[in-house]
Every structure is written in structure tokens, then in C-alpha cells.
Amino acid sequence: MDSFIIRGPCRLEGKVKISGAKNAMLPLMAATILTGGRCVLDNVPDLRDTRTMMKVLEMLGIPAGLEDGVLSIDATEVTSFEAPYDLVRTMRASIYVLGPLLARFGRARVSMPGGCAWGPRPVDLHFKGMMALGAEMKIDHGYIDARADRRRGGEVILAVPSVGATVNILLAASLADGETVIENAAREPEISALAGALRCAGVEIEGDGTSTIRVQGRKSIEPFSHTVIPDRIEAGTYAAAARITGGDGTIENCRPAHMHAVIDKLEACGAEVSVTENTMRIVGTGKISSVDIETGYYPSFPTDMQAQMMAVLCIADGASAIVEHVYPDRFTHVPELRRFGARVTLDGSVAVVSGVPRLEGAPVMATDIRASSALLLAGLVADGETKVLRIYHIERGYEDIENKFRALGAEIERVAG
Ligand code: UD1
């Protein structure tokens, strides 16, 4: 297993180009199953999760090839309806094949994802959504077994605006008979990106980006080509890196319009942020001010940026409170940040970060995608050497991260073991 060695402290300066969004690409890959044809996605990041989803599709008999950011997927024939445990346990979003398989073939068998590093992460809303669209659902030997003789539209009221459940319902509803209404739908830009692709493929969808989405199902769906939107979490991570290092970074190929909550908090902690439609410059001179953060559903502050902002606040002037509303247990980075000398206390879903003047390099362990990037950020400003172990977590969600950081002036290298 590879690790990163970082020698700090450093000040980042320069430009970085953001890749396509993992969380937009995965639903689009699943959507190709609906089409029964050859689809092309571009601006596709070459990530561990991209490769996992390609394997899931290949297990279904759907060949997929990625070259220079262009992903071709030929969903003409499907030879299996099963997403196996070995793949689903490494990437929960494999469950996105449930809705489209059920819609096109009336059957799907997908391993239950199980818990993850930061809590149980249920899939009950995916279940309820499929049932509202006419499916019979059961759990059988650790697998979700779904069948439907006739797929019909229906009304689904989500108890929480789950991104994953909204994706699965949107996908299944696109090939159902009649209208589906999703109430309390997720409003994330990645949902609008999926709706946009499905619209190009001929599906009538209204209300994406709001809490009520209406879908008029079709009998068949045209193969589509689509460009993946930029990754707002990757962009936010580099913005946080510019702030924590007191640097001056220009982030290219991003959509600041998707990042208001993150930009507000960066400004509140003393960064100067200037934006155009698709670039963002962060100048992070001066002391980092403490700032309180509460995560929430889009457009609130994203849980996927909580760990990175916590790293920034570890060296702020004063104390900051961070409240995690989406995943109350998502704090596996806290004990690791303490290894750098950070002062963080935890009480349930509330972390209090008392800023310290400097961090010290340390060996630390990556535990999930975003927790890992927080450790990299801490390593950039810590005195001396930091070794981040288990970086395969980072590779799930960040394309070419060490070269991007190196180009900004970081001393970072990949080592085996
Ligand atoms: C997606 C993102 C992930 C992000 C998360 C929250 C992808 C591939 N992953 O994950 O990066 O951290 O959104 O923004 O896009 N819930 C239920 N029942 C369900 C499903 C979810 O109670 O059936 C709850 C969860 O426990 C959580 C909340 O809903 O509290 C939001 O989860 P959800 O939006 O579903 O997260 P994911 O789609 O798994």
C-alpha cells in the first residue's frame, strides 16, 4: 500500500486545474444502463471510483473504456443483473445500478453496502423509492433483491434529501409508466447534472435543483453524450490548501456558483476570494480567523468539506465549533489531526477546534476520501515530515493529487509501504 511523504511547511502558489466531479460522473455512468446503446462521457476523472464503477458495469456485461478523460460505455446488452459484494463494499455508489436495472429489465440484485468508516449509512430511502415505483424488494443473503413486473410512476416523499436515493429514483422513474414526483429531493448540482443528461436523452424532468422533482417516464431512452461538471469538493480542497498555507492559488475549471457556502467560510477565516464563472483565486495572507461551521444539505456547507476546513481551523487564531448534521459520526480525522498537535475536542456531532500556532509533522492514517485530504493539508503546513498511510482512500476521489500539489510548490512524494 502506497503512502505520501510531505515535507512542510510550504506556501502554495500557482494554478491548478480541477477534474470532473466524481459524484456527478457515477450517476451518469449508471444512467447509461437505461439507454440500451453506446454513451460517451467526457471530462471523466481517472479515479479509483471510476475504475470500480467500470468494473460494476463490466460485471453486468456492459463494456466500458476510458481514454484521455473520455469514457465510452456500450449498454446495448446486459448479461447479468447483479452487483457483487466485493465491488459494492469498496464503493457504496455501486447501488446506483439498482434503479436503472430495475427500470429496464424489471430485476436487480445488488449487495447491501453495509456501514462505513463514519457510521451505518442506511439505504432505506432507496428501498422505499423503488417500492413506490412498483418494485417488490427483499433482502436475501446480504443482497437487495428487487423485482417489478410493471414499472409505474409514483410519489416519493424522502424523509431526508438523500443524494443517492434521489439519483436511484430519478433513474428508475425515467423508464417508468407515467409521472413520478420526488418530494424533499436532494438539490445538489450533481442531481441537476444527471437531470440535464437525462433530458438530453429525451426524458422530461422539471424541478431539479429544487426540493420537488417531476419526471415523465418514457418507454425508451436515447443513448447520450455528456460532459461531467467540475468537482466542487476537489476545488474546495485546493482552496482550503491555499488558505492553510497562506498561499495564492488560482483554481481553474471550477464552478464557484456551486461553492457559495465554502467560499463564505473561506472568506470568514480571512481568505481573499475572487471568482469568475469558472475560476477562483484564493489569497490566504495573514492570520487565519476562527469560524463556526455547520454542515448540511446543499446549498448549506457540504459534509464533504468538513474535514478539510477543520484542518485549516487547527491553526486559526481562537476556537471554532464545527457541527456535523449530515453524518454525526464523521470525525475519523480528529484523532489523526491530534497527532499533528492539533487541539480538537469532540462531543457527539460537535467538534471544538482550538487553534494552535503550528503543527508538527507526524505519521498518520487516511480513513476515508475527505479525511485523507485533510491530513494532506495539515502535512503541508506542519513542521518536518508527515507520512500519510493508506492513500488509496485519496485515490478514490482526487485525480493526480500529488502532481497537482507539487505543481503548486508542495514537497510531496509517493512511496511504497
Ligand atoms: C453522497 C455523496 C457523499 C456525500 C453525501 C452527503 C456520492 C457518490 N456520495 O453520498 O460524498 O458525503 O452524499 O452529501 O454522491 N440516508 C438515510 N437513508 C438512506 C440514504 C441516506 O437515512 O437510504 C441519510 C444518511 O444517513 C445521511 C443523509 O441521508 O444522513 C444523506 O446521505 P446521502 O445524501 O444519501 O449520501 P450518499 O448519497 O450516500
Side-chain angles (χ1 to χ4, degrees):
M1 271 188 271
D2 289 359
S3 304
F4 281 141
I5 304 274
I6 305 158
R7 287 183 193 85
C10 74
R11 177 176 182 272
L12 297 188
E13 202 173 329
K15 293 180 180 170
V16 60
K17 188 166 176 248
I18 295 307
S19 302
K22 169 177 89 69
N23 290 353
M25 170 205 65
L26 294 171
L28 290 168
M29 289 177 75
T32 64
I33 298 172
L34 293 168
T35 67
R38 186 172 165 277
C39 299
V40 179
L41 303 177
D42 70 19
N43 197 33
V44 172
D46 192 352
L47 304 169
R48 203 172 265 265
D49 276 13
T50 315
R51 298 286 170 180
T52 303
M53 196 58 152
M54 287 168 73
K55 278 190 205 146
V56 172
L57 293 176
E58 278 156 18
M59 294 294 292
L60 303 175
I62 299 174
L66 176 62
E67 211 178 313
D68 295 333
V70 178
L71 178 61
S72 306
I73 298 175
D74 188 347
T76 310
E77 281 187 46
V78 169
T79 53
S80 158
F81 307 106
E82 181 170 312
Y85 179 62
D86 275 353
L87 292 174
V88 181
R89 75 184 164 84
T90 61
M91 190 187 72
R92 295 174 55 80
S94 310
I95 199 175
Y96 287 169
V97 302
L98 177 67
L101 282 177
L102 197 54
R104 185 168 155 204
F105 302 103
R107 55 189 288 214
R109 197 172 151 78
V110 179
S111 167
M112 289 281 288
C116 76
W118 73 78
R121 296 188 79 183
V123 288
D124 57 311
L125 300 175
H126 298 247
F127 246 72
K128 285 181 188 150
M130 296 305 111
M131 284 162 74
L133 270 55
E136 276 176 37
M137 308 286 293
K138 62 176 182 179
I139 308 273
D140 169 23
H141 296 278
Y143 277 71
I144 301 168
D145 198 84
R147 283 175 192 261
D149 295 336
R150 192 171 154 255
R151 279 73 76 194
R152 52 169 167 75
E155 188 186 26
V156 188
I157 303 172
L158 294 176
V160 287
S162 155
V163 174
T166 304
V167 166
N168 246 331
I169 298 163
L170 197 50
L171 291 171
S174 296
L175 265 185
D177 272 350
E179 183 179 77
T180 296
V181 182
I182 312 172
E183 295 286 3
N184 199 24
R187 293 188 283 160
E188 270 69 0
E190 293 76 20
I191 298 289
S192 297
L194 173 63
L198 290 168
R199 265 194 292 269
C200 288
V203 186
E204 269 179 57
I205 301 174
E206 280 173 16
D208 48 291
T210 78
S211 297
T212 304
I213 303 180
R214 289 176 187 279
V215 187
Q216 307 295 335
R218 288 181 61 90
K219 293 222 164 356
S220 65
I221 294 181
E222 295 296 314
F224 61 86
S225 297
H226 204 77
T227 301
V228 178
I229 58 170
D231 194 314
R232 63 195 165 97
I233 305 300
E234 188 197 14
T237 302
Y238 286 103
R243 172 63 285 212
I244 196 173
T245 63
D248 180 351
T250 299
I251 296 171
E252 298 180 327
N253 188 37
C254 63
R255 293 262 176 92
H258 294 163
M259 300 176 63
H260 287 305
V262 171
I263 292 172
D264 283 354
K265 292 300 174 187
L266 285 165
E267 286 178 332
C269 70
E272 278 173 38
V273 183
S274 42
V275 302
T276 67
E277 195 186 338
N278 49 20
T279 68
M280 188 162 76
R281 181 175 173 202
I282 291 94
V283 182
T285 44
K287 269 263 174 223
I288 296 175
S289 313
S290 58
V291 53
D292 295 338
I293 294 177
E294 294 194 27
T295 68
Y297 304 107
Y298 189 85
S300 297
F301 190 91
T303 173
D304 283 352
M305 276 299 299
Q306 182 253 107
Q308 301 90 313
M309 281 305 287
M310 184 184 288
V312 174
L313 296 174
C314 284
I315 54 164
D317 203 9
S320 313
I322 299 181
V323 187
E324 176 53 71
H325 288 295
V326 180
Y327 293 113
D329 298 333
R330 189 175 192 177
F331 287 115
T332 53
H333 42 288
V334 168
E336 301 303 309
L337 287 172
R338 288 188 190 128
R339 295 177 58 77
F340 290 96
R343 285 178 51 209
V344 187
T345 55
L346 263 183
D347 183 4
S349 59
V350 182
V352 175
V353 187
S354 303
V356 294
R358 43 185 280 280
L359 300 176
E360 290 170 1
V364 288
M365 180 88 82
T367 49
D368 75 63
I369 308 175
R370 310 304 169 189
S372 329
S373 59
L375 303 181
L376 279 190
L377 299 197
L380 293 174
V381 283
D383 289 336
E385 186 175 290
T386 291
K387 183 173 189 181
V388 184
L389 298 135
R390 296 202 179 165
I391 57 167
Y392 58 86
H393 289 291
I394 303 181
E395 292 162 349
R396 286 190 53 196
Y398 290 92
E399 188 176 49
D400 207 17
I401 192 165
E402 71 259 48
N403 286 324
K404 289 188 183 185
F405 269 131
R406 215 175 280 135
L408 289 166
E411 250 192 78
I412 176 168
E413 65 176 306
R414 176 186 291 261
V415 294

